[in-house]
Amino acid sequence: MNGLYDEFRVALHSVWTRRWLVLGVAWGICILGWLVIASIPNRYDSRARLLVDINEIIPADAQSGPYADRARIDQIRETLTSARNLEKVAITTGMIPAGAGEREKAGAVAALQKNIKVVPQQDNIFEITSSIGVGSLSDADNAKLASGVLDSLITVFRDEQLRGGRITAREGLKFLDAQLADREKALGEVEARRAAFEAKNIGLISSGTGSPGQRIDQARAELGQIETQLAAAQGALAAANGQMAQTPATINVPGLNSTGGGVARQQLAGAQAELSSMRARGLTDAHPDVVALKSQIASLKAMADREGTGGGGGGNAQNPAYATLQAMRAERQATVSALSARKAQLSNDIAQITTAQIQNPGVASEYERINGEYTALKAQYDRLMAQREQVRLRGEVQTETDSIKIDLIDPPTKPTAPSAPNRPLFLTLVLFAGIGGGIGVAFGLGQVRTSYATAAKLERASGLPVIGSITEVVTPERHVERKKKLVWLAGGSGALVALFLLLLVAEFVQRGMVA
């Protein structure tokens, strides 16, 4: 611990003996650093928030490609700081003097592109920041220019959007019309080629729309449905035949041949016939209509018993249920016949198309290729037509109304303090760097020179014993001279600190002048 303390004392003595070197180096570093800081112009930031709203007269379509609202928002964000807009801003604010060349214009535009930031906060809200620090201008002029750049940029952007939206719509229509003309011409050529191919191979290509493979798939799908319907129709026909086998063609109606048959007996015969018809249609005894009719039949039977026989026997009459079943069977036979005929036709079509493909595979594949080309071109044509109609409607909206609405949420701020550099902090750092640099130089020089501050250090370096040491004798004249030099040293150090404080005061005064 004592050795470390001794080393510290030795280092401190080494620096103190070279105190004038420390002061000189500190002055040199501080002057140089403060000059560099003074040469850096103050930068002033101005901020604004902008709302860009899309007119929703025509709703956005997710399939409308580059004309969707989301794409327009992205386009607005990209073109806000376009070179064309920034050149107008530079001319308006005087950053580009009259008669400037292309090189000067490009330099001013590049500087603005670097110093203007656009940060999207939401889908249609943007924060714009301009940072201006022109060395040839005063702080007040830089602060005014930062705010003026944003004002000019917003004005130019609003004018460009209102004018450019209409121009874009016209150019979009012109482009789509050209594309539609090309697709229409290509469709006509493909249609003519397909018609010529069909005429040339009329015996090898089955009639119908679509390629042979597509027609086979459609026929097979329909054949599957026909077979299901045919099986159901055949089952229904078999059920009707079974019901007819169990239903008599005629029924005995009591009192039919007598001259004075009662009314109740006639109503009973009609109700029984209706009950047979219901059962023939498949209604069970639990059906509400059957239950009600059976109750009515029971009442009619009681009334018929009270009327008596009426003086005569009964007679045979045609069974209405049997007639109903005959009509139902005829209808189901017709359905089965029609479905069978359709099944045979589909099977024949599939066989013909398959045979044609086997015998002439090249013709079928070429025809399918032509149909595929036509289908692709037709889909492109329809899509372009839909896009053209949407662009036309948007163009009309932009002509009649403002399709883009630009509002200022927060107008450009008027900066009162520089955003960069942090001059007070830098001045302080340079002061500490100067003092530290002077101490470092003095300490390093002490390490390089071959002198020994203590007898013990000399003894360790030489390996020989030191008999003794002689202290310095300070005369009165020497003591006075040292005091005078200490006063000079304090004055030089105080002057350095005073200069630092003066620079700080000047910085804050300069900021106050901007405010």
Side-chain angles (χ1 to χ4, degrees), residues 234-280:
Q234 288 174 345
L237 179 60
N241 289 332
Q243 290 178 351
M244 285 188 66
Q246 297 176 2
T247 304
T250 60
I251 58 174
N252 184 20
V253 181
L256 180 64
N257 296 326
S258 64
T259 58
V263 176
R265 292 180 182 278
Q266 295 177 3
Q267 292 178 351
L268 177 62
Q272 288 176 341
E274 186 176 355
L275 179 62
S276 300
S277 176
M278 287 183 178
R279 286 174 173 169

Side-chain angles (χ1 to χ4, degrees), residues 39-337:
S39 65
I40 302 175
N42 285 328
R43 302 188 68 84
Y44 289 85
D45 290 352
S46 178
R47 289 180 175 82
R49 285 204 305 163
L50 194 65
L51 171 65
V52 181
D53 193 12
I54 300 296
N55 195 329
E56 294 293 345
I57 294 178
I58 299 178
D61 183 5
Q63 304 296 328
S64 59
Y67 304 101
D69 288 344
R70 171 67 63 178
R72 296 202 67 180
I73 291 292
D74 295 337
Q75 182 183 9
I76 289 170
R77 182 169 53 189
E78 293 173 0
T79 58
L80 184 60
T81 56
S82 64
R84 180 179 179 181
N85 289 350
L86 292 182
E87 183 176 347
K88 293 181 179 180
V89 169
I91 293 174
T92 304
T93 56
M95 296 181 67
I96 298 179
E102 293 298 327
R103 186 172 182 178
E104 294 182 21
K105 292 181 180 180
V109 169
L112 286 177
Q113 285 178 334
K114 181 180 179 181
N115 296 323
I116 295 179
K117 305 297 181 184
V118 179
V119 179
Q121 294 184 334
Q122 296 178 13
D123 290 342
N124 57 347
I125 296 179
F126 305 95
E127 183 185 53
I128 312 173
T129 303
S130 66
S131 181
I132 302 298
V134 181
S136 59
L137 299 178
S138 65
D139 286 354
D141 291 338
N142 279 325
K144 183 179 179 181
L145 182 60
S147 177
V149 164
L150 284 190
D151 283 330
S152 178
L153 178 63
I154 293 170
T155 302
V156 170
F157 175 66
R158 181 184 285 113
D159 295 341
E160 283 295 317
Q161 287 300 317
L162 295 179
R163 185 179 64 88
R166 299 178 176 89
I167 295 176
T168 301
R170 289 197 297 270
E171 292 177 351
L173 280 176
K174 184 178 179 181
F175 173 77
L176 289 174
D177 286 339
Q179 293 295 316
L180 283 170
D182 293 341
R183 297 299 188 280
E184 189 173 359
K185 181 180 179 181
L187 273 175
E189 293 176 354
V190 173
E191 285 179 343
R193 194 162 70 248
R194 185 173 66 175
F197 190 84
E198 289 176 349
K200 182 179 179 181
N201 302 279
I202 192 170
L204 303 177
I205 300 176
S206 301
S207 61
T209 59
S211 64
Q214 292 174 342
R215 291 201 300 273
I216 288 178
D217 293 339
Q218 294 173 358
R220 285 175 178 170
E222 185 179 356
L223 182 60
Q225 296 176 356
I226 293 296
E227 289 177 346
T228 301
Q229 296 173 3
L230 181 60
Q234 288 174 345
L237 179 60
N241 289 332
Q243 290 178 351
M244 285 188 66
Q246 297 176 2
T247 304
T250 60
I251 58 174
N252 184 20
V253 181
L256 180 64
N257 296 326
S258 64
T259 58
V263 176
R265 292 180 182 278
Q266 295 177 3
Q267 292 178 351
L268 177 62
Q272 288 176 341
E274 186 176 355
L275 179 62
S276 300
S277 176
M278 287 183 178
R279 286 174 173 169
R281 293 201 304 270
L283 300 181
T284 63
D285 291 341
H287 196 276
D289 294 341
V290 176
V291 172
L293 189 58
K294 288 175 70 175
S295 177
Q296 183 181 3
I297 289 173
S299 300
L300 290 173
K301 280 183 179 181
M303 293 174 63
D305 291 340
R306 288 195 298 271
E307 286 180 354
T309 60
N316 292 330
Q318 185 179 7
N319 190 351
Y322 189 81
T324 302
L325 289 173
Q326 278 185 324
M328 186 184 301
R329 183 179 66 175
E331 181 182 355
R332 293 180 179 178
Q333 283 178 342
T335 301
V336 169
S337 299

